[in-house]
């Protein structure tokens, strides 16, 4: 087992206190948004044998196991994170595999540099993801029924929103959502900023169901994404609850600390709440305009005390063990690679003692046994 030394990314939306509090260290005063655990080339975890990228590249079959290499190639197919949102992240969607390959190949043919700010596709992979709350966690996920979104917008009493309200009452629902989102993102910026300002003031005044959007508007004054966000379901996760975000589902994380796992990709198309590039035509190609319940996940009991967050993707499998003092050790040995992350208490993993925020990489087939009193998340693949 390799103890991991992980990079914390200081994105502006990050909480300055949540990750330091979990780690038991003093905050620096700077935002600490994400701690990355894995072999992503942008910030690979470090081990005594070198970076996790180096370790895997030296012998992929030994580190990842034959089943994972045969299925996903000679790389770790997931990235595990601690995510601490102190402000809303951008409203965004991710492509499916076919869309990612088509988009990447198109931008390559057109000679768009991979590091260009207007580049949409950094790789050919999809990016399904799962967020599991460690604290109360607020987010937006998937479209509301259009009639519900119309009622929310109409309740603000802002005249310039009336055309959107009328459009949302049209049928079919998918076409109504597409037309409204297109109108929001292509409207005159000055007029939109005026509408957003009036809507934000109404949200502040009304409170209740409007409170999350008042907070969003505070962080992104005048951004059309504030209105787009009101088309989406607001979700408040309790600790231990999770959301799965599949391809084409618009979403944004607003506030809270969680464990996030995703396929190892950087493909993001933004809808708003960001100063970054918003490619409206490509976004509209990717978004699934389907009203749906966000589908809060709760862990399902499996043998040996494991609690599994069931998702339809194979690049990752996330579960947790809540261990009690004096309880039996649990054998976690698998023929696939694993990362174990402690989020509470003290957990013994092989020769390592894990405390909150610390983690280890377990090569495929390596003996992995955990015990102690605390919570440990287990990230692996389905292969």
């Amino acid at each position: 087992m390799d103890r991991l030394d992980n990079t914390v990314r200081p994105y502006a939306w990050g909480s300055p206190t949540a990750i330091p509090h979990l780690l038991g260290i003093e905050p620096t005063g700077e935002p600490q948004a994400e701690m990355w655990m894995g072999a992503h080339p942008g910030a690979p975890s470090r081990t005594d044998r070198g970076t996790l990228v180096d370790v895997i590249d030296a012998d992929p079959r030994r580190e990842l196991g034959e089943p994972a290499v045969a299925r996903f190639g000679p790389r770790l197919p997931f990235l595990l994170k601690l995510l601490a949102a102190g402000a809303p992240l951008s409203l965004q969607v991710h492509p499916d595999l076919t869309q990612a390959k088509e988009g990447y190949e198109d931008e390559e043919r057109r000679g768009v540099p991979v590091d260009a700010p207007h580049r949409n596709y950094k790789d050919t992979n999809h990016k399904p993801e799962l967020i599991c709350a460690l604290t109360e966690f607020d987010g937006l996920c998937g479209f509301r029924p259009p009639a519900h979104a119309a009622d929310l917008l109409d309740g603000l009493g802002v005249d310039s929103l009336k055309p959107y309200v009328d459009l949302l009452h049209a049928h079919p629902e998918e076409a109504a959502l597409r037309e409204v989102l297109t109108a929001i993102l292509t409207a005159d910026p000055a007029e939109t900023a005026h509408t957003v300002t009036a809507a934000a003031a109404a949200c502040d005044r009304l409170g209740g169901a409007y409170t999350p959007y008042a907070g969003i508007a505070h962080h992104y004054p005048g951004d059309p994404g504030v209105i787009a966000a009101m088309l989406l379901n607001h979700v408040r996760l309790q600790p231990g609850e999770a959301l799965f975000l599949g391809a084409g589902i618009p979403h944004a994380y607003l506030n809270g600390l969680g464990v996030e796992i995703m396929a190892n990709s950087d493909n993001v198309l933004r809808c708003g709440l960001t100063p970054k590039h918003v490619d409206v035509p490509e976004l509209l190609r990717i978004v699934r305009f389907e009203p749906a319940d966000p589908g809060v996940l709760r862990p399902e009991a499996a043998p040996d005390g494991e609690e599994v967050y069931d998702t339809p993707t194979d690049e990752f499998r996330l579960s947790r063990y809540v261990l009690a003092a004096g309880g039996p050790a649990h054998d976690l040995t698998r023929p696939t690679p694993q990362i174990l992350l402690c989020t509470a208490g003290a957990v013994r993993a092989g020769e390592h003692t894990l405390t909150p925020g610390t983690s280890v990489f377990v090569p495929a087939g390596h003996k992995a046994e955990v015990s102690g009193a605390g919570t440990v998340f287990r990230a692996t693949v389905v292969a």
Side-chain angles (χ1 to χ4, degrees):
M1 259 184 230
D2 296 283
R3 192 179 189 92
L4 299 179
D5 179 15
N6 304 305
T7 297
V8 176
R9 310 306 293 263
Y11 304 135
W13 49 261
S15 165
T17 58
I19 290 178
H21 178 74
L22 184 73
L23 295 173
I25 61 176
E26 284 296 316
T28 64
E30 299 298 317
Q32 298 193 30
E34 296 180 347
M35 176 185 286
W36 288 20
M37 290 156 280
H40 190 288
S45 299
R46 299 169 293 278
T47 78
D48 289 341
R49 298 189 284 158
T51 72
L52 198 50
V53 171
D54 296 334
V55 169
I56 291 170
D57 284 350
D59 195 340
R61 283 173 170 78
R62 186 184 72 176
E63 302 297 332
L64 303 178
E66 196 65 49
V69 173
R71 184 77 186 275
F72 305 109
R75 66 186 192 118
L76 190 67
F78 65 82
L79 177 64
L80 184 67
K81 299 179 180 179
L82 279 173
L83 184 146
L89 282 67
S90 62
L91 192 60
Q92 59 189 255
V93 296
H94 307 300
D96 64 25
L97 265 174
T98 299
Q99 293 164 339
K101 290 175 182 176
E102 291 174 351
Y104 181 85
E105 290 166 0
D106 175 65
E107 290 184 319
E108 288 290 284
R109 278 194 304 271
R110 292 190 285 115
V112 182
V114 73
D115 59 351
H118 61 287
R119 174 99 182 204
N120 294 316
Y121 297 96
K122 305 298 195 296
D123 53 68
T124 60
N125 202 14
H126 63 166
K127 194 186 178 188
E129 59 190 43
L130 177 78
I131 184 77
C132 177
L134 295 179
T135 64
E136 276 198 345
F137 194 98
D138 281 285
L140 306 173
C141 178
F143 287 108
R144 300 172 183 270
H148 295 180
D151 290 344
L152 195 69
L153 292 177
D154 196 34
L156 292 172
V158 176
D159 288 343
S160 51
L161 291 174
K162 296 296 185 184
Y164 301 149
V165 172
D166 293 340
L167 286 171
L168 287 167
H169 285 300
H171 290 282
E173 290 187 328
E174 290 81 359
L177 289 168
R178 176 183 287 274
E179 194 166 350
V180 170
L181 184 63
T182 302
I184 291 169
L185 297 180
T186 57
D188 176 80
E191 292 180 6
T192 298
H194 179 77
T195 297
V196 172
T197 299
C203 287
D204 271 329
R205 182 179 71 255
L206 294 168
Y210 294 97
T211 300
Y213 307 100
I216 293 169
H218 171 74
H219 289 286
Y220 297 98
D223 192 301
V226 175
I227 305 301
M230 298 183 76
L231 303 178
L232 306 185
N233 297 296
H234 172 248
V235 184
R236 173 164 291 172
L237 300 177
Q238 297 303 311
E241 295 180 335
L243 284 176
F244 174 73
L245 293 313
I249 304 300
H251 61 278
Y253 302 146
L254 304 181
N255 185 269
L257 176 67
V259 174
E260 184 182 39
I261 190 168
M262 62 188 62
N264 208 343
S265 171
D266 285 330
N267 288 328
V268 176
L269 288 109
R270 295 175 175 83
C271 317
L273 310 183
T274 178
K276 295 182 179 180
H277 178 61
V278 176
D279 184 336
V280 175
E282 185 63 11
L283 173 73
L284 296 175
R285 186 177 83 91
I286 299 303
V287 171
R288 293 172 55 186
F289 290 95
E290 301 171 1
D293 184 275
V296 174
L297 295 176
R298 295 172 181 84
E300 299 179 5
D304 194 33
E306 187 179 26
E307 299 177 334
V308 181
Y309 293 91
D310 188 34
T311 70
T313 189
D314 291 344
E315 280 89 347
F316 60 77
R317 177 184 184 274
L318 186 71
S319 62
R320 70 176 184 179
Y321 287 81
V322 180
L323 307 174
H330 298 266
D331 185 0
L332 274 57
T333 307
R334 283 179 66 95
T336 52
Q338 303 179 70
I339 291 177
L340 306 180
L341 165 67
C342 178
T343 59
V347 175
R348 188 74 180 169
E351 67 274 27
H352 301 282
T353 298
L354 302 182
T355 54
T358 59
S359 55
V360 292
F361 173 71
V362 186
H366 189 94
K367 178 70 173 177
E369 194 172 80
V370 295
S371 60
T375 301
V376 62
F377 281 82
R378 177 197 215 185
T380 186
V381 303
V382 178

